[in-house]
């Protein structure tokens, strides 16, 4: 049986961005992925400079302009799966952001710290969660939820929230080496040493609450 000689087909384009997209190992566009699946050893792609009189390229440009002037689209490619997922994700993020922006929603303390929603943000420590929510072993939280009637012995802050102990309380000054008043919580969380120090302060607060909270403190939990 006579072996049939393989024929190579040459395709020319003036779109360098299209050629570069086809060269990516993991394309992010379904159309690019579909084209890559059609390409094999019989097809060779080439780039040509636009508007220099290459006959085939000029004809292709003319056909493209003619198609763009049509009153309606007569070729429907459908919505690629990846594009559909991207659109859904964008809509969900927008809805999440809209709800988070609502002043009537809970979590306003956290909103001041993180006004923009993100899917890649993760607070992976219960101690750090106390810092970004103001929910933890502090008089403000304990009184708000009727868990304990107490105040800080230092008497310098009527709120006695978590940030009072992280930044200001003189009873914990021996635990502070890096953290200073005025340091924003996002900047604190971005610094590993300061983050570890903040955790250490809260652990110290928990273990010595009987010495830091006033005499009216009920039995610790």
């Amino acid at each position: 049986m006579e072996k049939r000689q393989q024929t190579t087909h040459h395709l020319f384009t003036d779109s360098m961005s299209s050629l570069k997209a086809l060269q990516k190992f993991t394309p992010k566009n379904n159309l690019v992925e579909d084209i890559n699946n059609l390409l094999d050893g019989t097809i060779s792609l080439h780039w040509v400079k636009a508007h220099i009189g290459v006959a085939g390229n000029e004809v292709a440009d003319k056909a493209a302009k003619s198609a763009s002037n049509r009153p309606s689209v007569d070729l429907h490619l459908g919505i690629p799966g990846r594009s559909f997922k991207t659109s859904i994700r964008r809509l969900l993020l927008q809805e999440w952001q809209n709800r988070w922006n609502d002043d009537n929603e809970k979590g306003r303390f956290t909103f001041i710290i993180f006004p923009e929603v993100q899917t890649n943000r993760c607070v992976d420590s219960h101690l750090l969660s106390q810092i970004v929510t103001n929910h933890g072993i502090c008089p403000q939280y304990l009184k708000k939820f009727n868990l304990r009637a107490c105040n800080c012995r230092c008497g310098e802050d009527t709120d006695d929230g978590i940030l009072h102990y992280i930044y200001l309380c003189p009873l914990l000054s021996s635990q502070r080496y890096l953290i200073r008043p005025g340091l924003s919580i996002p900047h604190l969380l971005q610094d590993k040493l300061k983050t570890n120090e903040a955790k250490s302060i809260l652990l110290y607060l928990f273990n010595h609450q009987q010495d830091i909270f006033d005499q009216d403190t009920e039995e610790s939990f």
Side-chain angles (χ1 to χ4, degrees):
M1 183 176 179
E2 184 180 353
K3 187 177 181 179
R4 192 170 182 181
Q5 187 176 3
Q6 190 178 46
T7 303
T8 300
H9 303 275
H10 298 273
L11 297 180
F12 297 85
T13 178
D14 60 11
S15 175
M16 180 62 75
S17 60
S18 297
L19 293 176
K20 287 184 176 180
L22 291 169
Q23 290 176 339
K24 290 184 178 179
F25 183 71
T26 53
K28 297 182 179 180
N29 184 287
N30 286 78
L31 182 59
V32 173
E33 191 172 355
D34 291 342
I35 294 173
N36 263 330
N37 291 334
L38 295 174
L39 296 176
D40 56 27
T42 67
I43 301 175
S44 180
L45 302 178
H46 307 272
W47 176 77
V48 294
K49 192 173 182 179
H51 311 301
I52 60 170
V54 177
N57 192 56
E58 296 297 334
V59 171
D61 281 346
K62 186 176 180 180
K65 290 177 182 177
S66 176
S68 66
N69 292 325
R70 292 184 180 181
S72 61
V73 178
D74 56 3
L75 178 63
H76 298 278
L77 300 176
I79 301 176
R82 187 180 285 111
S83 299
F84 182 75
K85 291 179 182 179
T86 300
S87 297
I88 292 297
R89 182 177 181 275
R90 185 173 60 252
L91 290 172
L92 288 173
L93 280 174
Q94 185 59 56
E95 177 62 20
W96 183 14
Q97 185 68 60
N98 290 340
R99 293 188 181 188
W100 189 230
N101 291 341
D102 189 348
D103 289 338
N104 296 320
E105 285 292 317
K106 296 180 179 180
R108 294 303 88 189
F109 181 91
T110 307
F111 177 82
I112 294 174
I113 302 168
F114 300 127
E116 183 179 348
V117 301
Q118 293 181 8
T119 58
N120 59 351
R121 181 188 295 125
C122 178
V123 178
D124 58 354
S125 163
H126 72 284
L127 295 171
L128 297 182
S129 293
Q130 292 181 38
I131 295 174
V132 300
T133 62
N134 201 32
H135 286 186
I137 189 72
C138 64
Q140 184 188 59
Y141 177 80
L142 296 173
K143 288 186 289 187
K144 179 179 180 180
F145 292 96
N146 298 316
L147 298 173
R148 191 186 307 171
C150 58
N151 296 290
C152 184
R153 286 176 182 268
C154 79
E156 293 191 5
D157 189 342
T158 56
D159 287 335
D160 294 339
I162 286 291
L163 301 189
H164 167 68
Y165 297 99
I166 295 294
Y167 294 108
L168 301 170
C169 183
L171 300 179
L172 288 107
S173 59
S174 62
Q175 306 301 308
R176 268 182 235 106
Y177 302 95
L178 302 173
I179 297 175
R180 295 289 182 269
L183 176 69
S184 70
I185 295 178
H187 282 97
L188 185 153
L189 296 177
Q190 291 171 7
D191 189 310
K192 187 174 182 180
L193 293 177
K194 291 184 176 68
T195 297
N196 289 335
E197 183 171 289
K199 291 179 181 178
S200 177
I201 291 172
L202 292 182
L203 284 174
Y204 184 90
L205 174 65
F206 179 79
N207 293 324
H208 297 82
Q209 55 186 287
Q210 69 277 6
D211 300 320
I212 298 172
F213 298 161
D214 65 12
Q215 295 293 341
D216 294 332
T217 303
E218 299 175 2
E219 185 179 351
S220 301
F221 59 89

